[in-house]
Amino acid sequence: MRASYLIALQSILSKEITRFMRIWVQTLVPPAITMSLYFVIFGSLIGSRIGDMGGFSYMEFIVPGLIMMAVITNSYANVASSFFSAKFQRNVEELLVAPVPNYLIVLGYVGGGMARGMLVGIIVTILSLFFVDIQIHNLAIIIITVILTSMLFALGGLINAVYAKTFDDISIIPTFVLTPLTYLGGVFYSLTMLPGFWQNVAALNPIVYMVNAFRYGFLGVSDVSLVLALAVVTSFIVVMFSFALYLINRGVGLRS
């Protein structure tokens, strides 16, 4: 990579990180409060009535899923709002005419979304320590899974922003797609509790693989094969990165 390309990538990354850190009260505090409520309601109040789940307390079982849920929503939201704002204000046109490869533009915005997603994940993890003693079975799996997941949903946010025509459009996918998939992705329950037919249906939900791989890193248990889970996430990243780059190259939704 040429030095000028590296500077361009660093500039986009720096802008994106500065953007969400400058308004940290809006970008970092709300997810922390939301997840704390989940810990109190689902973990402490409801969890005490449910009992053990897979040999662990209910709180221990849901914590990895709640952390992953925070990473997913914030990685997605950061890129969707940031890139659409740049498109709406026509700032993105300056990047498109600059002597910078389009893949660096994608990497820059995605990197900013990953940074926010993982930072929120760290904050939620720290908050969870007030409610449960976290154990770590495999730190490498935790790191790999959170990096891949935040990258995947940052790409999703970019694609959403490309197609969005109004600010309302960037909230449609999180509301009607991400939220249902997340709640049905095994965050609050084990797939083994489902009847056979619904287990097969759940296998079509990509978030199931991310949540279970992440849970394996903490607890050492998973409802799906770890190798399969990482392969599914990696495959989605390749497809979505290629699609996002295609859209940028074609100028879909970007050029009048």
Side-chain angles (χ1 to χ4, degrees):
M1 184 183 297
R2 296 192 314 192
S4 60
Y5 289 179
L6 184 59
I7 293 173
L9 179 60
Q10 290 174 337
S11 298
I12 299 173
L13 269 174
S14 176
K15 176 182 74 70
E16 287 300 295
I17 293 173
T18 301
R19 172 184 172 275
F20 74 75
M21 289 299 294
R22 188 174 61 246
I23 53 174
W24 61 271
V25 175
Q26 302 174 40
T27 56
L28 303 181
V29 174
I33 295 175
T34 301
M35 289 302 118
S36 295
L37 292 174
Y38 276 118
F39 290 142
V40 171
I41 297 172
F42 287 95
S44 299
L45 301 180
I46 298 178
S48 59
R49 297 171 179 263
I50 293 177
D52 290 350
M53 180 80 70
F56 300 93
S57 69
Y58 189 65
M59 175 68 90
E60 288 178 304
F61 185 83
I62 67 171
V63 161
L66 291 176
I67 297 172
M68 183 56 66
M69 186 162 67
V71 171
I72 288 172
T73 55
N74 284 275
S75 298
Y76 191 98
N78 191 78
V79 184
S81 60
S82 178
F83 194 82
F84 180 78
S85 296
K87 187 177 78 168
F88 182 77
Q89 297 167 1
R90 309 193 79 84
N91 296 333
V92 73
E93 294 178 0
E94 299 174 6
L95 285 175
L96 294 176
V97 300
V100 177
N102 288 336
Y103 72 85
L104 287 184
I105 298 175
V106 175
L107 289 176
Y109 276 95
V110 168
M114 292 173 63
R116 176 175 163 185
M118 289 188 285
L119 181 55
V120 169
I122 292 172
I123 293 172
V124 173
T125 302
I126 293 172
L127 287 173
S128 70
L129 295 175
F130 292 97
F131 300 92
V132 65
D133 292 329
I134 291 181
Q135 55 179 296
I136 295 178
H137 175 73
N138 191 318
L139 182 60
I141 294 298
I142 293 174
I143 295 173
I144 291 171
T145 304
V146 77
I147 289 175
L148 293 177
T149 302
S150 60
M151 181 182 297
L152 174 59
F153 284 94
L155 285 166
L158 179 61
I159 294 171
N160 187 180
V162 167
Y163 280 111
K165 290 182 171 46
T166 67
F167 280 100
D168 290 335
D169 291 340
I170 63 176
S171 65
I172 292 176
I173 299 298
T175 301
F176 295 103
V177 179
L178 277 189
T179 299
L181 288 180
T182 302
Y183 279 97
L184 298 174
V187 174
F188 299 102
Y189 57 87
S190 171
L191 298 187
T192 57
M193 300 173 63
L194 300 175
F197 172 77
W198 291 109
Q199 288 187 34
N200 294 330
V201 172
L204 301 176
N205 183 353
I207 294 180
V208 165
Y209 300 93
M210 304 166 204
V211 169
N212 276 277
F214 200 58
R215 181 174 287 132
Y216 177 86
F218 281 99
L219 305 179
V221 297
S222 174
D223 294 329
V224 299
S225 164
L226 182 62
V227 174
L228 176 62
L230 296 179
V232 167
V233 179
T234 303
S235 299
F236 269 96
I237 289 174
V238 172
V239 171
M240 294 189 70
F241 182 86
S242 300
F243 186 54
L245 186 57
Y246 168 80
L247 294 176
I248 301 296
N249 287 338
R250 293 292 301 272
V252 176
L254 304 178
R255 298 190 178 102
S256 304

